[in-house]
Amino acid sequence: MTRFWVLLLSSIAAASPAPNARAACPDYSQYSTQKHEPFSEGQYMLSYMRPETACRKFVLPEVEKTIDDMKDVVKDPDLFRLFENAFPNTLDTTVTWKGFASDDDEEELAFVTTGDIVAMWLRDSANQLRSYKSLLKANASTDSLAGLFRGAINLQARYIIQNPYCNSFQAPPESGLPPVNNGAADTDNVSPGYSKDFVFECKYELDSISAFLQLSWDYYDKTGDAEFFGKFKWMKAVQTILDVAEGLLVGTYADDGSVNKSPYTFQRMTTAGTETLSNGGIGNPVKSGTGLVRSAFRPSDDATIYQLFIPANMQFSSYLGRSAKIMKSHDADVAGKMDSFAERVKDGINKYGKVNHPHFGEIFAFEIDGFGSSNLMDDANVPSLLSAPILNFLDVSDATYQNTRKFVLSTWNPYYMHGPVINGTGGPHVGPGKAWPMSIITELLTSDDDDEILTGLRTLVSSTDGLGLIHESVDTFNASQWTRQWFSWANGLFGEMLLGLKDRKPDLLATSFQ
């Protein structure tokens, strides 16, 4: 047996339960809609939602130890149960396959799905793994957390090189998993084209390629392993990102008034305006010269109104600049281009991405077109305006950010949902009246106010409908009306937030919410 097959089979064995156990494992998409004993001992009696040990897809001792350690820190039984379920959810349920590339038995691959959809979103998978960044350290073992990061980076690089305008992808052929049909994309007319055996959906989102840079930085930041990035396809993926982003600096019109050919177009037969692009698939007009990169869709997978989407440009600027430090070890010229590009985008945000609000003063716009129009709102999905500090774009004390934060968390934000059950930002993806717990988690990650944090924690622990998982959205007047019972990104973000509170405000985690 060749070394490739030995490594592949041993990796699959480490990341997956034994065949007999797999056959007996329940479908988590159904399992996560039902309550399971033992229930937490608090008033909310939250379900235990972790699969049986044999059914967990990827087990890391450091994660199990972290959960055990938090028992002594988080005193409220319902809050601890929510952490116990949510923090390991990505590892327990979405590391769907792990192995090696068929053409290189040293190249680790990891297929990390979003949860209830068996496809790998660049954005979701990068953020799902970010939840474990605090535990990440250098480790050459393929069965380690570092190996999982390397595998995800390598697979994302493959996806980006082949289809850089796409946001979500099928399992790699090495996995043996069949492609999943995306019925919503059956009528899509997309340019450049793609294979449905490789791509699950092809909505161009600047935050998707930015997420690859974020994931790369997260790995390097904790391991210092610059050598890894020169071994496989990372440098080619970064050059692809630079080429795509440069092409999307161009506006709709040339100087002589002619219409520029758009490098990307998207049309879908749909009754939802947020699911397609206007003007024959190019979107609303954009002006050249702002230094900002266009984005056809938002991280919610909804179409932008104005394509100069500020939160994604913040993320792109932040992690392109940071990833230049990695590139410097391999190609100083490309690293210099990355640094310069990141600075130009930052300058564009500061020059064109700010507006004066009559009640809040100077704030960041959500989207602009470069012609003077702006969209003032925020969406729950990260990157958002609220998340700017956790994107490492600016400090939480920044005056414009603080004004923006007040706007976002007020009813001046047209997608701020409020009611007796939950108060938080939502978005057009599920519509008015549905607040996303993710937005509350982001609020707490960017807050130093004890009362605000405690209010947010109480809301989160009381709005799971007894299931003990973080939902996509919750009706502001009825906790039993929610969307997506299995949303691993939000679960991981909750775990990340609680671990952050353990470090900076441990006394708050001794609070009772009974």
Side-chain angles (χ1 to χ4, degrees):
M1 185 178 286
T2 65
R3 181 174 181 273
F4 165 70
W5 288 109
V6 170
L7 288 171
L8 175 58
L9 292 173
S10 64
S11 176
I12 292 173
S16 306
N20 289 339
R22 282 200 301 272
C25 292
D27 177 354
Y28 198 77
S29 63
Q30 294 300 316
Y31 186 88
S32 54
T33 65
Q34 302 158 357
K35 297 178 182 179
H36 307 279
E37 296 182 343
F39 301 133
S40 61
E41 297 179 357
Q43 66 169 315
Y44 299 109
M45 298 181 64
L46 298 185
S47 171
Y48 183 73
M49 278 296 184
R50 297 194 68 184
E52 296 283 345
T53 303
C55 294
R56 295 172 190 170
K57 293 189 173 182
F58 196 77
V59 177
L60 289 173
E62 57 265 45
V63 170
E64 301 304 320
K65 182 179 185 301
T66 299
I67 295 170
D68 286 341
D69 290 346
M70 286 290 275
K71 287 180 182 177
D72 296 327
V73 179
V74 181
K75 302 301 185 182
D76 184 86
D78 294 323
L79 184 62
F80 176 73
R81 172 55 56 82
L82 190 52
F83 176 81
E84 181 183 24
N85 289 338
F87 181 57
N89 189 251
T90 286
L91 302 182
D92 284 354
T93 67
T94 69
V95 182
T96 303
W97 177 81
K98 193 170 182 297
F100 293 83
S102 59
D103 60 352
D104 189 335
D105 64 10
E106 298 290 335
E107 184 180 354
E108 298 161 284
L109 300 175
F111 182 60
V112 181
T113 60
T114 187
D116 52 2
I117 305 172
V118 187
M120 185 167 172
W121 267 255
L122 299 179
R123 168 190 59 255
D124 288 45
S125 57
N127 284 299
Q128 285 166 256
L129 293 185
R130 169 167 268 202
S131 304
Y132 307 109
K133 183 179 178 180
S134 63
L135 306 180
L136 180 61
K137 59 185 179 181
N139 192 326
S141 171
T142 189
D143 299 327
S144 66
L145 181 58
L148 184 60
F149 269 76
R150 290 191 297 269
I153 292 168
N154 286 334
L155 187 54
Q156 286 201 7
R158 175 192 290 188
Y159 291 148
I160 288 168
I161 291 166
Q162 185 163 329
N163 289 101
Y165 296 97
C166 299
N167 58 320
S168 116
F169 297 85
Q170 305 281 4
E174 292 93 337
S175 70
L177 297 170
V180 176
N181 179 56
N182 179 10
D186 285 347
T187 63
D188 290 0
N189 183 6
V190 182
S191 178
Y194 61 89
S195 167
K196 291 185 178 180
D197 289 342
F198 189 78
V199 170
F200 181 80
E201 187 172 60
C202 197
K203 290 179 172 178
Y204 163 65
E205 300 159 347
L206 177 59
D207 71 275
S208 289
I209 52 178
S210 302
F212 171 72
L213 300 172
Q214 174 188 303
L215 179 64
S216 301
W217 172 254
D218 284 349
Y219 175 79
Y220 174 77
D221 187 38
K222 296 295 287 188
T223 67
D225 181 12
E227 182 182 359
F228 157 71
F229 293 94
K231 288 182 177 179
F232 306 110
K233 300 178 180 69
W234 183 82
M235 293 172 64
K236 186 176 181 181
V238 170
Q239 186 59 59
T240 301
I241 288 171
L242 290 173
D243 292 343
V244 166
E246 287 280 359
L248 288 161
L249 292 172
V250 178
T252 304
Y253 305 109
D255 289 343
D256 65 359
S258 60
V259 178
N260 290 317
K261 179 176 174 55
S262 176
Y264 170 84
T265 62
F266 181 100
Q267 290 179 290
R268 172 176 290 179
M269 294 291 291
T270 176
T271 58
T274 56
E275 286 294 311
T276 192
L277 299 181
S278 62
N279 292 318
I282 65 173
N284 289 321
V286 175
K287 189 172 179 61
S288 298
T290 63
L292 300 174
V293 182
R294 291 159 57 186
S295 186
F297 290 87
R298 302 169 181 165
S300 59
D301 297 336
D302 298 316
T304 51
I305 295 174
Y306 304 125
Q307 292 190 14
L308 301 180
F309 176 48
I310 299 302
N313 274 274
M314 289 176 169
Q315 183 186 25
F316 181 68
S317 173
S318 175
Y319 294 110
L320 183 66
R322 283 170 171 77
S323 294
K325 297 181 176 67
I326 305 171
M327 184 63 79
K328 192 173 182 180
S329 301
H330 304 286
D331 191 321
D333 288 342
V334 174
K337 292 177 183 177
M338 293 166 71
D339 264 329
S340 177
F341 199 160
E343 283 301 312
R344 292 198 305 272
V345 173
K346 184 176 182 178
D347 290 344
I349 293 169
N350 286 325
K351 183 174 182 179
Y352 297 101
K354 297 176 179 179
V355 298
N356 283 309
H357 191 280
H359 289 270
F360 298 96
E362 184 179 78
I363 66 172
F364 289 106
F366 188 64
E367 297 165 348
I368 64 169
D369 63 1
F371 292 104
S373 298
S374 59
N375 180 13
L376 303 187
M377 58 167 281
D378 203 19
D379 189 284
N381 286 264
V382 176
S384 59
L385 294 176
L386 188 61
S387 71
I390 61 178
L391 300 174
N392 300 122
F393 178 75
L394 47 69
D395 189 84
V396 71
S397 64
D398 179 271
T400 304
Y401 171 75
Q402 282 297 320
N403 291 344
T404 306
R405 191 176 192 277
K406 291 172 185 174
F407 160 76
V408 168
L409 299 175
S410 78
T411 54
W412 283 95
N413 172 10
Y415 284 101
Y416 184 78
M417 315 300 180
H418 61 104
V421 171
I422 184 172
N423 298 318
T425 306
H429 195 67
V430 293
K434 303 282 191 180
W436 289 48
M438 178 181 285
S439 73
I440 299 172
I441 298 168
T442 304
E443 177 185 356
L444 305 193
L445 281 164
T446 58
S447 177
D448 194 50
D449 183 276
D450 289 1
D451 290 338
E452 182 179 28
I453 293 169
L454 290 175
T455 298
L457 291 176
R458 184 179 299 279
T459 297
L460 292 168
V461 82
S462 65
S463 59
T464 77
D465 196 25
L467 293 172
L469 290 171
I470 302 294
H471 299 308
E472 177 189 55
S473 73
V474 179
D475 189 291
T476 57
F477 281 79
N478 186 348
S480 66
Q481 297 294 315
W482 42 263
T483 59
R484 294 189 71 182
Q485 73 280 10
W486 180 18
F487 186 25
S488 287
W489 174 15
N491 284 313
L493 191 66
F494 174 80
E496 179 186 344
M497 179 270 294
L498 226 61
L499 288 176
L501 288 178
K502 178 178 73 72
D503 292 336
R504 63 190 182 97
K505 289 183 177 288
D507 290 349
L508 296 187
L509 297 182
T511 303
S512 170
F513 298 103
Q514 301 306 306

